Structure formats: C-alpha cells, structure tokens
Amino acid sequence: MTKLEELIIHRIQETGPISIATYMQECLLHPNLGFYNQKDVLGPEGSFITSPEISQMFGEVLGLCLAQYWIDLNRPDRFALVEFGPGKATLMLDILRAGSSVKGFIEAAEIFLVEASSKLRSEQKTKLSKFNVKWIDDDLLIPKIPTLFIANEFFDALPVNQYQRKNNLWYEIQVGLKNNQLTFGLSHRPTTHPELEGRFSESMNGDIVEISNDAIRISKSIGKIINNHGGCALIVDYGDWHSLGSTLQALKSHKFKNIFDKPGKVDLTCHVDFEALAKNSGCAYSRLTTQGVFLERLGISDRANQLLKNSQPKNHKSIISAHRRLTHPDEMGTLFKVLGLYARNENSPAGLLN
Ligand code: SAH
C-alpha cells in the first residue's frame, strides 16, 4: 500500500466517501506524494510520452501557427503567451525556437505558465532560464493584452466528477471503503448540477456522465480574455466532441491499470469533453480536428523532409517514425484532437476551420 493510499483511506474513515474529483486531485497533485510530483513521469522512461516529447516537429509547427495568429492580429507589440501544464517545458522551447524565425514575435511575447506541480515548475525554471517567464495560477491574472493560449494533454489531467442516472435521478459516484479497501459507491442522496440538466434526453438509467468543474471554469476564463483582448487558444488532447460514459483510466509505464492501483504512482486521466470546453468558453470555436490532419495542414511533412535532408542517415528512421506516431490514424493521429478558441469577430487559427 502506498503512503498516499493510507492517507486517503484514513481521510475516508474520518469524514466519509470522497468524490472522484477529490480522489484524482490527491492522486495527481498531492504536494509530495502525488503523481506529478514524482520523478520522471513524462517521456520514454515515465508513465506516458506526449507529442512534444516524441519530436520537436510538433512544437515547431504549433509555434508557427501561433506566430501566424500574432501576424493576423497585426503584430501587437505586446501579447501574452500562456501555456497550461507545460510538463518538461519541451513544447514551450520548441514554440519559442520556431517562433524566433518570425521577426518581432518573441520580443513581443510575455510568457506565463500554469503549472501545479512544484517538481515540474522547477524543471521548467531551469529549462527556460534564458527567458522571462512568470508562473501563475489558473485564475489567469495576466495583463489585459491579446493572449495566445496553448494546452497539450492538460485538460485530460483535470479532475472530473461522475454521475450515474438511477430511477431518473442523478447520483454522484464516490470513492469509499469496503473491508478497508478503496471502492466505488453511489451517493445516498440524488444530486444536481447545471451541466446535468440537458443530459436526460440522451441518457438511460445506468448511464454515467462526467463533468470537470475545473475544465469548465478554466475555459470560461480563457474565453473571457480572448473575447475582451483578442487572441486564441489551441487545445490538444484525447477525447471527443461529446462524452457519455466513464472514460476514467489509470496508466503506468505505458500500461492500463486499475484506478485504485498504487495511488500517486499511477497516472489518472479522462477523455476530454471538447463540447463542454467550447460551449463554456463563450467565444467562437473551430471544428474539432484530428491531430493528424491539423499537423499535416500546418506542414509537418515538409518539416520532416527538411529534417531528413539536414540529418545523418542514422537519424532518418527516428524522424520518419516520429512523424508517423504524431500523424498516423493507428497512432496518435486520430485519437488526439485539436480545438481552437478565438474571438467572435476573428478567424480560427491556421490548420483549423471556423
Ligand atoms: N504539456 C506537457 C505535459 C502534459 S502532462 C506535454 O505535452 O508534454 C500534464 C501537465 O499538466 C503536467 O505538467 C502537470 O503537472 C500539469 N497539471 C496537471 N493538473 C494541473 C492543474 N490542475 N493545474 C496546473 N497544472 C496541472
């Protein structure tokens, strides 16, 4: 039993069952025992590997997409560049390197990072030491200037609440104890949530609905800034336009695990409900587009060819396989989706359709 599991069991013994969101929050972000505060969680040696960790091509084309948006905004002499959940800072470094080829872009950028893990914050500090970077909370206290947001595999890490329909009422699924072991149960009393109101017509008794209050709150804040000051958001993650059913999953060393296996040592995620993000943002949103199509539209194949031309033959295989992993439907090409948010009177970012 992990130390964190003992703490969670103790808490439930003292005060009763907790929501799935609270369980996820503890498992992922407990100050020293949570998953994101452990060593090397991202990358080939860690629990999972993300697109920017697969290849520089990902961040480079996203960087150029953001730089193009800045050009389309008439090159404001100040803008905020905000990344949610920057992990090992690889994506931000690739964005800044590619963006430096666009005159004036880097000079105009004020960089803000939203990162809850103190361990990853200090890694980001070291990697980005050459840049003027500020860390902020997700209440997004940033200057009132045009803002470009980026989030890769951030929203899937946010806690969700789960509700199950029973006798035409909604009950919250909770984490409780049976024989002193963690287990799922239903709240004794039915509950309500504004987001549940529209879900009766599409669900049956027994169905589960997931709601991430954090995702809704953050998308509202993003939308407000974009609508008031201009800018856009690129949100890349796995998930779909609309979610129904439980998508909660646990992953360790690239393998699926039980949700209650080794709390704090295992990654817990949910598929992102992009519709909830888009509609709650209150700003204009693009069509949900697969990562493969998005990256192809932004020219990732040209970039791969250029890298092949400039590299030693011994590196060719890894460039080709990284391109395939990022774009092919059998790999990350269709599982991952991209949503663009932008001001109502503007166009969607390059690579996405209005
Ligand atoms: N974007 C990076 C890392 C993805 S992992 C990449 O693509 O490689 C998820 C990231 O979000 C981690 O940096 C994690 O510490 C951070 N994170 C998770 N929950 C968070 C929260 N509630 N607030 C801020 N950051 C969070």
Side-chain angles (χ1 to χ4, degrees):
M1 188 180 291
T2 61
K3 184 110 195 282
L4 185 60
E5 186 172 1
E6 276 175 34
L7 289 180
I8 294 172
I9 289 178
H10 185 69
R11 173 174 176 173
I12 296 172
Q13 284 165 339
E14 297 275 301
T15 57
I18 55 176
S19 67
I20 289 180
T22 305
Y23 178 71
M24 286 181 80
Q25 178 80 20
E26 288 292 306
C27 289
L28 295 177
L29 291 172
H30 183 282
N32 38 46
L33 303 172
F35 174 77
Y36 282 113
N37 284 310
Q38 307 305 304
K39 244 176 66 190
D40 294 334
V41 294
L42 297 165
E45 308 303 320
S47 275
F48 62 99
I49 182 160
T50 57
S51 296
E53 301 300 330
I54 289 174
S55 164
Q56 66 188 79
M57 292 183 276
F58 181 81
E60 287 171 346
V61 295
L62 261 65
L64 292 179
C65 173
L66 294 176
Q68 182 62 51
Y69 208 87
W70 174 76
I71 292 171
D72 293 344
L73 289 171
N74 290 326
R75 304 171 201 256
D77 55 10
R78 280 179 78 200
F79 75 96
L81 177 58
V82 181
E83 183 176 359
F84 292 96
K88 298 164 95 162
T90 311
L91 175 57
M92 185 50 83
L93 282 168
D94 291 339
I95 288 173
L96 294 172
R97 195 181 54 257
S100 67
S101 64
V102 175
K103 197 165 166 266
F105 178 71
I106 299 298
E107 293 72 13
E110 297 182 19
I111 305 168
F112 297 90
L113 303 180
V114 181
E115 174 56 70
S117 152
S118 51
K119 190 156 189 80
L120 285 170
R121 261 189 202 214
S122 67
E123 187 167 344
Q124 292 153 15
K125 224 169 239 165
T126 313
K127 296 243 182 83
L128 291 162
S129 59
K130 281 205 282 180
F131 298 92
N132 185 7
V133 177
K134 293 195 178 74
W135 281 262
I136 52 169
D137 291 329
D138 65 18
D139 52 5
L140 301 182
L141 289 178
I142 52 176
K144 296 179 169 41
I145 50 179
T147 303
L148 306 180
F149 293 96
I150 178 95
N152 184 61
E153 288 212 49
F154 167 74
F155 282 96
D156 69 73
L158 296 181
V160 302
N161 294 85
Q162 287 191 341
Y163 302 92
Q164 187 164 34
R165 180 170 161 177
K166 195 174 107 180
N167 300 329
N168 297 325
L169 293 167
W170 294 105
Y171 292 79
E172 179 158 20
I173 302 181
Q174 297 177 315
V175 177
L177 296 175
K178 193 172 174 190
N179 303 326
N180 270 334
Q181 307 251 329
L182 296 170
T183 184
F184 289 121
L186 276 193
S187 60
H188 289 305
R189 297 217 182 106
T191 184
T192 56
H193 190 292
E195 294 281 321
L196 285 172
E197 281 163 18
R199 307 302 294 262
F200 269 111
S201 58
E202 53 145 14
S203 63
M204 301 196 307
N205 282 332
D207 279 347
I208 293 172
V209 166
E210 287 177 344
I211 297 171
S212 172
N213 290 314
D214 285 353
I216 291 172
R217 182 174 46 77
I218 292 171
S219 71
K220 283 184 177 161
S221 308
I222 294 175
K224 215 163 143 191
I225 291 170
I226 289 178
N227 275 335
N228 288 339
H229 310 294
C232 71
L234 287 178
I235 299 172
V236 188
D237 225 309
Y238 48 92
D240 260 305
W241 180 245
H242 185 77
S243 100
L244 182 66
S246 174
T247 68
L248 180 62
Q249 62 187 31
L251 209 61
K252 173 146 179 81
S253 308
H254 308 264
K255 292 200 182 73
F256 289 108
K257 294 278 172 193
N258 184 292
I259 302 299
F260 298 125
D261 202 26
K262 299 198 174 49
K265 306 278 182 212
V266 174
D267 185 29
L268 296 178
T269 70
C270 285
H271 283 211
V272 172
D273 182 344
F274 284 98
E275 184 185 20
L277 293 183
K279 294 195 169 158
N280 280 295
S281 74
C283 52
Y285 50 87
S286 72
R287 284 192 220 168
L288 192 61
T289 303
T290 61
Q291 172 166 303
V293 167
F294 175 68
L295 295 177
E296 285 298 354
R297 284 181 181 154
L298 292 178
I300 196 170
S301 293
D302 290 341
R303 181 62 183 135
N305 281 324
Q306 197 181 34
L307 286 174
L308 285 171
K309 236 193 249 158
N310 299 337
S311 66
Q312 309 252 351
K314 66 175 186 331
N315 296 329
H316 287 185
K317 220 169 132 191
S318 74
I319 296 169
I320 292 166
S321 103
H323 174 272
R324 184 187 150 88
R325 276 185 87 177
L326 294 174
T327 59
H328 197 278
D330 291 344
E331 307 257 5
M332 299 169 91
T334 49
L335 177 65
F336 281 75
K337 313 279 191 324
V338 188
L339 177 74
L341 304 176
Y342 50 99
R344 285 194 209 101
N345 50 349
E346 297 286 346
N347 277 324
S348 58
L352 299 170
L353 295 171
N354 282 354

